[in-house]
Amino acid sequence: MATDEPPVSIDERPQRRREWSGPLRSVALPLVAVAAIVAAVWWLQGGRGGSHGASTAKGQGIIALDPSRNHTGQPAAAEKGRAAPDFRLTTLDGKTVRLSDLQGKTVLLNFWATWCQPCRQEMPEIVRAYSQYHDKGFEVVAIDEQEDSGTVQKWVDAFGMGFPVVLDASGQVGQTFRAGTQFPTSVWVSPTGVITDVKFGPMSRDFLDQRLGGS
């Protein structure tokens, strides 16, 4: 059938596609670049599973404090006079330590890292105090902040640390107890699970003996 419409050139549709693809590239390529940058930042900040961005393993870190173990009538908080926030962490030999399970003892939570010189200064005194007062109801939980187990084990061996040494791989427990800005940080917890003192910086022999004289 005859028609008055002109025939479609075989080059017409490719030409239209070329004209349309230019603006598409100008939008799509920047979006791809932004996505790549976001992915790289996520990877560097811990998406790859690095120590500083390590996610808390299931059942590890801060956990809810059983109301029957809260003897203050107030929510747990990292403050003197409040019930200590409960946590569960793993020792170097794979055992689990839960803070609230230690009620009935005077507990020292010592936040530290191997690169911390003041931590090195006070550790022999903590080891001595543990040996002297452990039979009287004194317990130490040494909480290493975000270091690998091999590095920590060398310290444990060098100082003869016979008390539980746990790894706070994600840093969540240290952040909750406000121990991330200055090492060492020592949190004292009473036999009823209440925080009685927070000490920033190294502890001396006299300080430890004064604290533990009635343990």
Side-chain angles (χ1 to χ4, degrees):
M1 177 183 299
T3 175
D4 294 331
E5 294 182 4
V8 177
S9 169
I10 59 173
D11 294 331
E12 186 174 348
R13 272 179 270 180
Q15 179 64 29
R16 287 175 181 169
R17 186 162 58 247
R18 286 192 295 270
E19 291 173 352
W20 174 75
S21 63
L24 176 64
R25 276 200 308 271
S26 67
V27 173
L29 290 179
L31 288 176
V32 171
V34 170
I37 293 171
V38 170
V41 172
W42 172 82
W43 190 87
L44 290 171
Q45 289 183 341
R48 67 192 188 282
S51 61
H52 292 285
S55 60
T56 303
K58 184 177 181 180
Q60 296 287 301
I62 296 296
I63 57 178
L65 177 64
D66 190 320
S68 67
R69 295 184 175 184
N70 186 341
H71 305 285
T72 67
Q74 296 179 292
E79 301 174 8
K80 290 175 64 173
R82 301 284 287 273
D86 203 4
F87 64 79
R88 185 188 290 117
L89 291 173
T90 303
T91 64
L92 291 172
D93 56 0
K95 298 179 181 178
T96 297
V97 173
R98 180 173 180 173
L99 178 57
S100 61
D101 287 344
L102 300 177
Q103 288 192 9
K105 300 179 180 181
T106 295
V107 180
L108 167 62
L109 304 178
N110 184 247
F111 294 87
W112 61 284
T114 61
W115 48 261
C116 163
Q117 186 59 37
C119 301
R120 179 179 293 274
Q121 175 186 335
E122 75 167 359
M123 192 56 71
E125 292 301 334
I126 295 176
V127 171
R128 177 200 63 83
Y130 178 78
S131 176
Q132 182 174 345
Y133 296 103
H134 179 60
D135 290 342
K136 299 179 182 179
F138 175 51
E139 187 60 80
V140 175
V141 180
I143 305 173
D144 177 82
E145 288 297 302
Q146 297 182 290
E147 295 185 290
D148 65 272
S149 58
T151 299
V152 176
Q153 186 65 61
K154 292 177 182 178
W155 247 62
V156 171
D157 296 340
F159 286 98
M161 298 160 66
F163 37 79
V165 178
V166 296
L167 303 176
D168 184 19
S170 70
Q172 182 197 37
V173 175
Q175 291 174 2
T176 299
F177 281 87
R178 302 171 187 172
T181 57
Q182 181 177 348
F183 293 155
T185 293
S186 297
V187 179
W188 292 81
V189 184
S190 75
T192 58
V194 177
I195 296 176
T196 58
D197 199 4
V198 179
K199 167 94 172 147
F200 297 101
M203 296 177 292
S204 66
R205 176 180 293 234
D206 287 344
F207 178 87
L208 285 162
D209 286 341
Q210 289 173 5
R211 288 287 319 177
L212 295 168
S215 296

